[in-house]
Amino acid sequence: MQNENFIKGQGAQRNVVNRFDRYTYEPEDEDFETVKTSFTEVFPKTIVNQVKSEDLPMEYSMNPYQGCEHGCSYCFARPTHEYWGYSAGIDFERKIMVKKNAPELLEKFFQKRAYKPAPILLSGNTDCYQPAERQFEITRKILQVCLDYRHPVNVLTKNALVLRDLDILQPMAEQNLVSVSLSIPTINEELRRKMEPRTSSAKNKLKAVEILSEHKIPVNVMVAPIIPGLNSDEPLAILKAISDAGAQSFGYTLVRLNDTVEPVFVQWIETFFPDRAQKVLNLIRSTRGGKLGEKRYFDRQKGEGNIAEMIHNTFKIGRKKYFEGKEFPKLSTGNFTGTKDQQLRLFD
C-alpha cells in the first residue's frame, strides 16, 4: 500500500546531500510541493561530447538540457547535477539548465575541418524531449541543423513529444539520417505513473512507435531499466506490444543505483511500495553482488546471479518470438560535407 505522504508528480521525495558540498543544510519542514520548476540559461562552449565508455556503442552524444523534469527516481544522470552545485534529488527535477546556444555550437562543430562524421546520440544523459522542450524548442532546432548538414542522429526519449517534429524527422529518414529510440520500461499505466511521473503515458508511447513507423522512421525501444519485483514480469508483453506497433529492434538494461541515485530510489520505493520495498531492494542486490550499484564496464549492463540470468533468458525468448527477421538500419554519413552545400563528397 502506498504511503500517503508523498509529493505528487515527483520521483525524488526530497533533496539528498551533494557529495561535493562541504557544508549542507536543508530545513526539515521545507515544502517542496510549493516549489516550481525553474529554468536557467547556461552558456557551454561545446555541445557534442565524445563518449569514452567502453561498453557503449555510440561515439558522440549531446544534451540540450541538464536536469530532467520526467522524475524517474532511478535515473543514472542524477549525480551529474551535483557538479552544478545542486542536489541529485528534487533539484534534478526542478532546476533545469537550458542550453539555448546548442544549435549554433553544433553547426560550428560540423564545420571543423578535421571532423569525421559519426552518428550522434541526442539525449545521452537527460531527455531532449522533456516538458521544457515545448517551450524552448532546442531539440527541434538541433534536428534542423542535422538535416541541413545531412548528419546522422539517434534520438532517445521517453516522451511522445517527438511526434511534433515529424516534419523534420521524415525528410531525415528519407536520407537515412535518423532513428528514434523510445524508452518503455512498463506498459502498466499505474506503475508508469509512479516510475516516470511526468513522461508520456504507456499508451501514447506505443502510439508514437506506431506513427513513427508509419512514417518510415526507424524505431528502437529501450525496455529500461528492468527492476526485479516491479516490472520484471513484463518483458514479453512489452516486446509483443512494441513489435506489433512497428518497432524494429529493442534494448534493455538492469537497474543500477550508483552514488546519489541510491538514496533517491530507496526513499522513492519506500514511499510508493512500502509493502515490498525491502524485497525489491534485496532482489536488486542479488543482481549486483550484494550492492545496489555497479560501475564496472560491461558488468554494469548485464548484472549477475539467477535473477539476472532469468531476465536475460526472457529477453532471448522475446527476441526470437517477436523480432526474428527484423533488422535495424545503420545510419548514413555519406552525404555529410561539413557545409549546407548539397554537393556530395567526391574524394573520400
Side-chain angles (χ1 to χ4, degrees), residues 60-334:
Y60 299 101
S61 69
M62 56 181 161
N63 301 280
Y65 305 98
Q66 291 295 137
C68 185
E69 299 169 88
H70 280 155
C72 309
S73 63
Y74 49 78
C75 181
F76 67 87
R78 285 183 177 274
T80 63
H81 226 46
E82 296 174 299
Y83 293 104
W84 297 82
Y86 295 121
S87 169
I90 287 178
D91 282 355
F92 178 76
E93 303 174 37
R94 297 202 179 178
K95 296 183 185 297
I96 309 300
M97 282 159 285
V98 180
K99 305 173 185 177
K100 293 182 181 179
N101 65 340
E104 291 78 15
L105 292 173
L106 180 61
E107 190 163 7
K108 290 179 181 178
F109 180 79
F110 286 163
Q111 292 170 353
K112 291 182 178 179
R113 292 179 62 86
Y115 174 60
K116 295 182 179 180
I120 297 175
L121 175 63
L122 181 52
S123 283
N125 198 35
T126 56
D127 203 306
C128 63
Y129 278 107
Q130 61 180 282
E133 173 63 14
R134 292 186 185 277
Q135 174 182 347
F136 296 105
E137 297 192 352
I138 302 172
T139 297
R140 179 175 175 82
K141 294 170 185 174
I142 284 174
L143 289 174
Q144 185 62 58
V145 172
C146 290
L147 175 58
D148 290 344
Y149 280 80
R150 303 167 305 286
H151 191 284
V153 62
N154 296 298
V155 178
L156 173 60
T157 182
K158 291 174 173 282
N159 204 313
L161 178 60
V162 64
L163 295 177
R164 179 200 64 189
D165 296 333
L166 279 174
D167 61 319
I168 301 176
L169 295 171
Q170 192 167 11
M172 290 187 74
E174 290 171 356
Q175 300 178 61
N176 198 20
L177 295 174
V178 71
S179 69
V180 175
S181 288
L182 275 159
S183 174
I184 307 179
T186 179
I187 53 176
N188 177 331
E189 185 57 19
E190 183 179 353
L191 178 58
R192 197 279 312 167
R193 284 195 296 266
K194 296 174 182 177
M195 282 182 64
E196 347 173 275
R198 298 190 69 194
T199 64
S200 298
S201 68
K203 179 180 178 181
N204 284 343
K205 288 189 203 179
L206 289 173
K207 188 64 178 177
V209 173
E210 184 178 335
I211 292 173
L212 289 165
S213 299
E214 288 173 351
H215 285 78
K216 302 188 184 309
I217 297 163
V219 182
N220 172 74
V221 169
M222 286 301 298
V223 188
I226 295 298
I227 305 174
L230 276 188
N231 64 341
S232 53
D233 62 337
E234 291 193 69
L236 290 180
I238 294 174
L239 295 185
K240 182 181 188 307
I242 64 176
S243 179
D244 289 347
Q248 293 172 267
S249 66
F250 71 88
Y252 70 99
T253 60
L254 299 182
V255 69
R256 52 189 174 92
L257 308 172
N258 291 340
D259 301 320
T260 36
V261 181
E262 179 178 329
V264 172
F265 181 88
V266 169
Q267 185 170 44
W268 172 81
I269 198 162
E270 289 177 345
T271 299
F272 289 94
F273 299 96
D275 55 335
R276 51 174 154 159
Q278 290 309 310
K279 177 183 178 182
V280 170
L281 292 172
N282 286 334
L283 286 171
I284 295 173
R285 291 187 182 100
S286 76
T287 69
R288 297 298 181 190
K291 301 175 294 183
L292 291 174
E294 177 61 77
K295 294 184 179 180
R296 292 174 297 175
Y297 291 141
F298 301 102
D299 290 326
R300 62 181 181 171
Q301 306 289 1
K302 62 184 182 180
E304 60 183 68
N306 292 335
I307 300 298
E309 190 63 27
M310 288 173 58
I311 292 170
H312 295 320
N313 287 336
T314 299
F315 277 102
K316 287 178 183 177
I317 293 170
R319 189 180 301 278
K320 183 173 180 61
K321 189 171 184 178
Y322 300 117
F323 283 83
E324 192 166 26
K326 291 194 174 188
E327 187 175 351
F328 201 70
K330 183 178 180 181
L331 299 185
S332 171
T333 59

